[in-house]
Structure formats: C-alpha cells, structure tokens
Amino acid sequence: MSIRVVVAASGAIGELVLRPWTADDVHPLIEAYRDPTLRRWTRVPVTDEVEAEAWLAEQARGSASGRRLSFAVDEFGPGGARLVGNVVLKPPGTTDEGRAEVGYWTAAPARGRGVASRAVDALSAWAFGSFSRLDRLELLHHSDNPASCRVAERAGYAFASVVTEPPPGTASGHLHVRRRTRPDAGPEDA
Ligand SMILES: CC(C)(COP(=O)(O)OP(=O)(O)OC[C@H]1O[C@@H](n2cnc3c(N)ncnc32)[C@H](O)[C@@H]1OP(=O)(O)O)[C@@H](O)C(=O)NCCC(=O)NCCS
C-alpha cells in the first residue's frame, strides 16, 4: 500500500505531500546530503549514488517490515514538486504498542518556513489515526540542536525530560512527547 499524507498549502509553504521514497529520489537525496548541518545530525552518510541507493533500500526494508516508516516530503509550487525533507516514524513494536518515535530533516534551501513543523505535525496526526493503540509519540534531539527543539514544540511535542543515559545507539538530549488527544480528555490527560 502506498501511503500519502497531504498538508494543504498555507502562507509561505506550498502543498506538502508525504510519500514513500522511490528510486527517482537518488539525486535529490545526494543534493540534500551535501549540507553539513544535515550530515552533522544524521547517522548514515549519503555522498554518491551507491550510498543513496543503500539509504533508499534501508527505507524500503523498514517499510516492508513495518519497523521504520520513512516518508519523502514534496512541496508543490508553480514549477511542480520539489523534495524538501524527510520524516520518519518508528512505529509501535510488539513489546510496547503504545509508543513510537519520530525523526526528520529539511533540505537546506527549504528551511525556516515551517516545513519540518508541519510535516512532523501531519505525520503525528496520521500515526495516531493509523495505530489505534498508539498513545504516545516521542521525539529526541541533541541538546545543542535548538532548531530541532523548536520544531518539536511547534509540532505539538512538549518538553518532557533531559536524557543523560540514552539506550545504546541513541543520543543524549531532550525528550519531547506528544500524546493522543481524545475528544473527551480531561486536563490530567493532556
Ligand atoms: C531542524 C530542522 C529539521 C528544522 O527544519 P525547518 O523546516 O527549517 O523547521 P521550521 O521552518 O519548521 O522551523 C522550526 C523552528 O526552528 C527555528 N530555527 C530554525 N533554525 C534555527 C537555528 N539554527 N537555531 C534556533 N532556531 C532555529 C525556526 O525559527 C522555527 O522556530 P520559530 O517558529 O520559533 O521561529 C532543519 O534545520 C534540519 O534539517 N536540520 C538538520 C537535521 C536535524 O537536525 N534533524 C533533527 C534531528 S533530531
């Protein structure tokens, strides 16, 4: 099944479409990864076609297994669609179906207009709508990444705690949490 999440155009941002990554994304992906800030905050290098294809294959495997749902973010403007970012959901596992984690980046030329905030907000709403047992979405960013902290707040992820002893393979930093909002939620559930 090919998932598409559409965010209507608003203000300075054209319509955003979250969609699965495809083989056609090799060159835009390499271009996005030329940015040193993106390379600083991401784990896997993408410098050439071989690495881009490996990266895309990893997203496809994650999607097939359901363990990592990674979406390219396209922005539609007068010139058509342009790749502007990536959002990823690591969905509920079998051991804890109530929680999942999100991650994201925006291509350097598209930053500062709210792309990440909107795409993460849309991904989060889609996740709560798609996984009925999901109750809590988590977002972890390094403490010296203030832009990511702002994205979290703007996408509805309240600061929860400072993580000083992260699990192996993950970073220390700030944990932000967005909970499912229920129509009948009282203040203690917010
Ligand atoms: C973090 C990142 C995703 C933000 O993307 P973006 O599309 O520019 O984000 P938005 O336009 O939605 O901006 C969100 C907020 O970040 C703020 N911001 C942007 N750059 C900033 C910076 N260098 N320092 C502080 N705040 C910054 C914006 O002003 C905005 O806050 P505001 O609403 O209070 O003005 C982007 O910088 C990026 O891809 N960085 C590299 C990868 C990364 O850090 N990913 C997150 C890993 S946890």
Side-chain angles (χ1 to χ4, degrees):
M1 184 179 59
S2 179
I3 300 163
R4 280 169 65 88
V5 179
V6 178
V7 186
S10 171
I13 310 187
E15 181 182 77
L16 298 179
V17 175
L18 281 52
R19 53 141 180 105
W21 287 90
T22 75
D24 291 341
D25 293 313
V26 164
H27 292 288
L29 185 64
I30 294 170
E31 191 55 40
Y33 267 82
R34 287 193 211 285
D35 168 50
T37 306
L38 179 49
R39 290 203 303 270
R40 177 179 177 201
W41 297 118
T42 49
R43 220 172 18 94
V44 180
V46 179
T47 58
D48 57 22
E49 289 188 9
V50 173
E51 289 177 350
E53 281 161 9
W55 190 94
L56 291 168
E58 188 187 337
Q59 314 316 308
R61 279 193 297 277
S63 181
S65 69
R67 285 204 300 262
R68 179 187 173 87
L69 303 180
S70 183
F71 297 89
V73 181
D74 281 338
E75 180 179 17
F76 284 78
R82 182 171 63 117
L83 176 72
V84 291
N86 175 50
V87 287
V88 57
L89 175 78
K90 295 164 207 168
T94 48
T95 51
D96 183 359
E97 292 187 335
R99 60 168 291 280
E101 191 185 336
V102 298
Y104 46 88
W105 51 257
T106 300
R111 286 184 195 148
R113 292 185 296 122
V115 166
S117 311
R118 277 177 198 223
V120 172
D121 177 45
L123 176 76
S124 309
W126 173 82
F128 283 126
S130 302
F131 299 98
S132 58
R133 294 192 184 177
L134 182 63
D135 202 43
R136 169 188 168 103
L137 282 169
E138 298 181 354
L139 186 163
L140 186 68
H141 69 81
H142 285 261
S143 17
D144 54 349
N145 190 348
S148 192
C149 198
R150 288 297 307 143
V151 170
E153 297 288 344
R154 286 188 53 172
Y157 287 72
F159 172 75
S161 62
V162 175
V163 179
T164 50
E165 293 182 15
T170 59
S172 61
H174 292 180
L175 174 68
H176 292 247
V177 173
R178 176 167 160 170
R179 294 184 185 280
R180 178 186 292 277
T181 347
R182 298 181 186 82
D184 57 348
E188 71 279 7
D189 297 325

